[in-house]
Amino acid sequence: MPSLEGRVHDRLREILGEAHVSNNDLDRFVYSGSANVAMPPRRVVGEFGPGSLPAFVVWPETTPQVVELVHLANQEKIPLVPLGGSVGLRGGSLPLSRNAIVVDLKKMHKILDINPSAMTVTVQAGIVRPEMDEELAARGFWFPHDPPSHPVSAIGGFISTAAAGWWMPKYGYMGDLLLALELVLPTGEILRTKPVMKHSVGPNLNWLFVGAGGTLGIITEATLKIYPLPEARYTRVYTFDAFNKAYRAAYEINRRDLNPYVMRVGDDGHSKVYLGRALQAPDLTGYTLVVGFDGMKEMVELQDRLAREIALHHGGKDWGLELGQRFWDTRLSYW
Ligand SMILES: Cc1cc2nc3c(=O)[nH]c(=O)nc-3n(C[C@H](O)[C@H](O)[C@H](O)COP(=O)(O)OP(=O)(O)OC[C@H]3O[C@@H](n4cnc5c(N)ncnc54)[C@H](O)[C@@H]3O)c2cc1C
């Protein structure tokens, strides 16, 4: 009778093919660690409890393969750990058992459908946003979700951590952008929710899986809302001599329903350590308000003008549109 490890290895090779299964020491070591909560993030092993080297790392490409993996895990009573970019910062993608199989979804990265009339895109859950950007832009659309980890985090990871990005004030967080998903339940059954804007009665099941951290199944596909590429985007950085003034300006911009795509208030430390450095503006000190608008040019000009009046009224210093554009361009170099 072959050992548990031998049996599982044989079955994994049958399900996925030799090239998509690994039990070599390097892969097991790499997948036993993750980015941690420190800023800047660094790789750690074992900070979230008794972290372990997994028994196997696998790279499925299709939903039926994920179903087979779940059946195998049930049969042999071994844990599966789904993973996207592994930069969730909370250790959710770390294996805690030596029998664990890490299921890396990065090879499930196809765009399955772009529907311009419904304004949706359907993707496999291992895709990262830059892989979608070009095809969406070619059709005049974009997917407005932008946590700083977006070059490496996968859509399944975003959903499972209820991620929120820079553009949340206008476009919402990941749960708001999710219309439907396909998920392999712990029983091996496939659950598919409907890609509709509104469910007439009954709970919207999608929300059960937003932030579930892989505990309720493995997400294999998602249908997401997409938006027309904006004609214009204006962003400004203001500085104030008191936090309260920056906060009051931000509050009034919201109160007047100006609908900014980005709105961030920061203290002096934030200005010096992050904002000033990323913007290459070493003299940027004090309390900051970053606020920006996107959409049709005429609307954006009006929103920007009204927001500027409010910021100046509260004693803000305007650093101009050029620095605001630099905020947009360098937003990923913060960390
Ligand atoms: C520099 C930096 C900045 C960040 N800034 C932000 C920020 O501004 N806002 C924010 O919200 N987050 C932020 N994060 C955290 C990170 O962006 C999010 O947590 C992101 O959603 C993680 O995605 P991931 O693909 O790396 O997930 P992973 O780390 O791979 O997984 C996270 C969890 O989801 C589960 N999971 C992954 N894929 C699936 C799947 N297909 N099905 C079921 N479960 C799955 C995993 O098991 C794990 O529990 C930041 C991270 C970094 C490194």
Side-chain angles (χ1 to χ4, degrees):
M1 170 103 177
S3 65
L4 171 68
E5 194 172 340
R7 268 200 324 270
V8 171
H9 200 177
D10 288 347
R11 205 47 207 113
L12 288 174
R13 282 188 289 220
E14 277 169 28
I15 297 170
L16 300 160
E18 183 86 41
H20 294 143
V21 179
S22 173
N23 64 348
N24 77 46
D25 288 345
L26 181 60
D27 285 331
R28 291 170 62 226
F29 172 72
V30 167
Y31 282 86
S32 68
S34 171
N36 86 340
V37 289
M39 285 294 167
R42 62 193 165 83
R43 186 183 183 284
V44 289
V45 181
E47 274 197 18
F48 299 94
S52 253
L53 294 181
F56 296 98
V57 182
V58 298
W59 294 269
E61 290 182 308
T62 66
T63 302
Q65 288 176 338
V66 176
V67 170
E68 288 300 307
L69 286 173
V70 172
H71 285 316
L72 174 65
N74 278 328
Q75 206 177 338
E76 299 290 358
K77 302 205 181 327
I78 47 180
L80 297 179
V81 184
L83 167 150
S86 192
V87 293
L89 303 181
R90 293 292 179 273
S93 56
L94 290 183
L96 297 179
S97 149
R98 291 190 72 80
N99 286 333
I101 301 176
V102 172
V103 183
D104 183 343
L105 288 133
K106 278 198 273 306
K107 286 194 191 295
M108 294 184 65
H109 63 137
K110 289 197 186 108
I111 296 179
L112 301 171
D113 180 51
I114 298 175
N115 185 333
S117 44
M119 298 215 289
T120 61
V121 61
T122 301
V123 292
Q124 285 186 305
I127 197 166
V128 296
R129 223 205 65 214
E131 293 177 301
M132 300 158 60
D133 284 350
E134 209 174 308
E135 278 203 46
L136 288 177
R139 295 173 196 217
F141 290 98
W142 68 313
F143 175 60
H145 183 66
D146 192 55
S149 70
H150 87 250
V152 287
S153 287
I155 291 298
F158 282 150
I159 297 168
S160 302
T161 56
W166 296 110
W167 308 326
M168 196 178 76
K170 178 170 174 182
Y171 296 102
Y173 78 115
M174 193 59 209
D176 299 308
L177 293 163
L178 175 68
L179 271 187
L181 48 72
E182 179 190 84
L183 179 109
V184 179
L185 292 164
T187 55
E189 292 160 286
I190 298 176
L191 173 79
R192 290 193 185 91
T193 62
K194 293 209 183 313
V196 290
M197 289 289 172
K198 181 181 178 310
H199 294 252
S200 57
V201 285
N204 180 341
L205 273 186
N206 294 332
W207 286 97
L208 191 57
F209 304 103
V210 175
T215 55
L216 300 178
I218 301 184
I219 300 166
T220 44
E221 287 180 20
T223 300
L224 310 166
K225 291 183 198 173
I226 52 176
Y227 286 80
L229 280 169
E231 189 186 353
R233 181 181 292 120
Y234 286 8
T235 312
R236 288 182 195 268
V237 180
Y238 300 96
T239 47
F240 298 80
D241 60 12
F243 179 82
N244 201 33
K245 292 182 186 173
Y247 174 80
R248 291 301 306 176
Y251 172 77
E252 206 175 316
I253 289 167
N254 272 339
R255 184 74 206 273
R256 291 186 52 191
D257 205 11
L258 292 184
N259 201 17
Y261 82 86
V262 65
M263 168 84 92
R264 289 178 81 88
V265 177
D267 64 10
D268 193 40
H270 179 263
S271 309
K272 285 186 193 134
V273 178
Y274 294 122
L275 204 55
R277 195 195 55 196
L279 300 181
Q280 293 154 16
D283 44 344
L284 190 98
T285 53
Y287 300 86
T288 49
L289 169 64
V290 179
V291 60
F293 301 91
D294 66 0
M296 285 172 58
K297 192 159 188 285
E298 272 176 280
M299 299 269 285
V300 169
E301 279 171 356
L302 178 63
Q303 289 164 307
D304 174 63
R305 181 167 62 73
L306 294 174
R308 188 168 181 276
E309 280 170 18
I310 293 170
L312 297 188
H313 172 75
H314 286 278
K317 173 184 168 186
D318 175 14
W319 288 70
L321 283 174
E322 200 184 313
L323 200 79
Q325 179 60 39
R326 220 181 294 160
F327 166 81
W328 175 268
D329 295 337
T330 61
R331 67 195 187 283
L332 294 181
S333 12
Y334 264 42
W335 318 110

